[in-house]
Amino acid sequence: MFTIDLTGKTGVVFGVANHRSLAWSIAQQLHAAGARLAFSYAGERLKDKVESLTATLSDSFVFDCDVTRDEDVTRVFRGLAERFPRLDYLVHSVAFANKEDLEGEFLNTSRAGFHLAMDISAYSLVRLAKEAVPLMPQGGGIITLTYNASQRVVPSYNVMGSAKAALEHEVRQLAYELGPKKIRVNAISAGPVNTLSARGISGFTDMLHMAREKAPLRRGIEPDEVGRAALFLLSDMASGITGEVLYVDAGYNIMGT
Ligand code: NAP
């Protein structure tokens, strides 16, 4: 059996809020394969939770980082440069939109709400990648998390669909620009998983039921399946893959109805 060995590799993971976070499933897989990890959390309110969770992974450490604040982002990567000989992986698993923009009519999205969702959920990938690239002189891997509402209409997903469409374009653009530096950039398009962010979407339970009913595998997905797909994409097993959106959704995206 081919096993993935990431011993000696380092990664930074943005977006662990609690044990249900997709970022946490990804981190567990990377750690189990031997990678040393750093984490960021957004704001004091999450500090204790993220610290106690990540303490279970040997040799890991945490930073406070709101991705909308340039000074936070710069501080995190300066800290990473001091503690890691180099960076191999960047995991971007961050998204946010105001609750009122994840229900009702998309037509009512405010300018401020649109900017906020785009800034946190899409632009942040560019900003984080900009800082990560100089720490990846020998190449590396970047992954982000998206959802199929980037391509199709999912009622209530609204402005987050716009943000995910932008995010998927960024994956292609960054893959093109960073390819010569041997840095691969990919996205995982996950099926619905019951996390903190997901519960903020009006009608999320309907999305979950629909996916379970209609997906070719006739079930939803487990967070661990996203974690394993991320491990694959970041490992040398995926050495020929960049600029891709890999669906981990029990096949739901292929369905016409
Ligand atoms: P989650 O556990 O709530 O993770 C979202 C993370 O984004 C949280 O850690 C959150 O921190 C962080 N975040 C929000 N605003 C931030 C900011 N300004 N600066 C830094 N971090 C910020 O939910 P999740 O479902 O795992 O989401 C992870 C990613 O997967 C998102 O991109 C999401 O769109 C994507 N995704 C999820 C699903 C699903 O069904 N769950 C499906 C497809 C794709 P706070 O808690 O502090 O806000």
Side-chain angles (χ1 to χ4, degrees):
M1 194 173 96
F2 189 94
T3 52
I4 295 173
D5 183 4
L6 303 186
T7 307
K9 303 284 190 184
T10 62
V12 59
V13 180
F14 289 80
V16 173
N18 58 34
H19 71 282
R20 290 176 189 269
S21 297
L22 296 179
W24 180 239
S25 298
I26 295 169
Q28 285 177 296
Q29 291 293 332
L30 296 181
H31 179 264
R36 187 170 175 224
L37 299 176
F39 293 87
S40 86
Y41 59 91
E44 278 301 303
R45 120 193 114 75
L46 283 181
K47 184 171 191 280
D48 290 348
K49 177 150 288 189
V50 176
E51 276 183 349
S52 59
L53 207 53
T54 57
T56 62
L57 305 186
S58 57
D59 227 8
S60 65
F61 53 97
V62 299
F63 294 102
D64 180 3
C65 180
D66 178 339
V67 296
T68 63
R69 294 165 56 97
D70 281 335
E71 58 275 29
D72 281 18
V73 175
T74 304
R75 176 177 42 75
V76 166
F77 282 90
R78 202 178 297 134
L80 286 171
E82 283 165 9
R83 299 183 69 164
F84 284 160
R86 59 164 203 288
L87 186 67
D88 297 291
Y89 311 124
L90 164 63
V91 177
H92 173 273
S93 186
V94 169
F96 183 82
N98 287 327
K99 187 155 178 44
E100 64 267 26
D101 293 325
L102 294 173
E103 58 194 13
E105 293 192 7
F106 178 57
L107 200 58
N108 293 330
T109 310
S110 67
R111 189 184 301 272
F114 192 88
H115 283 174
L116 182 70
M118 281 289 177
D119 192 5
I120 297 178
S121 316
Y123 177 69
S124 61
L125 176 66
V126 181
R127 186 68 186 81
L128 298 181
K130 168 95 176 153
E131 297 279 351
V133 167
L135 304 184
M136 296 177 164
Q138 296 164 16
I142 298 175
I143 52 164
T144 186
L145 273 296
T146 187
Y147 180 57
N148 199 24
S150 61
Q151 310 295 316
R152 298 171 202 280
V153 175
V154 177
S156 296
Y157 207 78
N158 297 1
V159 69
M160 194 58 82
S162 309
K164 293 303 190 191
L167 184 72
E168 290 176 22
H169 168 264
E170 289 168 26
V171 166
R172 292 185 286 275
Q173 192 77 33
L174 291 172
Y176 163 69
E177 289 181 17
L178 300 180
K181 295 182 190 294
K182 298 190 172 59
I183 298 172
R184 296 184 296 105
V185 187
N186 290 293
I188 292 173
S189 186
V193 177
N194 198 352
T195 61
L196 203 59
S197 301
R199 272 184 256 144
I201 302 162
S202 152
F204 172 75
T205 314
D206 294 340
M207 284 161 64
L208 204 58
H209 287 150
M210 182 88 87
R212 282 180 186 154
E213 202 177 296
K214 300 266 171 80
L217 295 180
R218 300 292 193 279
R219 63 171 179 84
I221 59 152
E222 298 297 327
D224 186 46
E225 294 177 305
V226 174
R228 280 185 273 132
L231 174 63
F232 162 71
L233 282 176
L234 291 174
S235 77
D236 285 346
M237 286 186 80
S239 58
I241 302 175
T242 194
E244 277 301 321
V245 176
L246 176 65
Y247 283 86
V248 180
D249 66 348
Y252 185 49
N253 74 93
I254 68 168
M255 302 305 295
T257 59

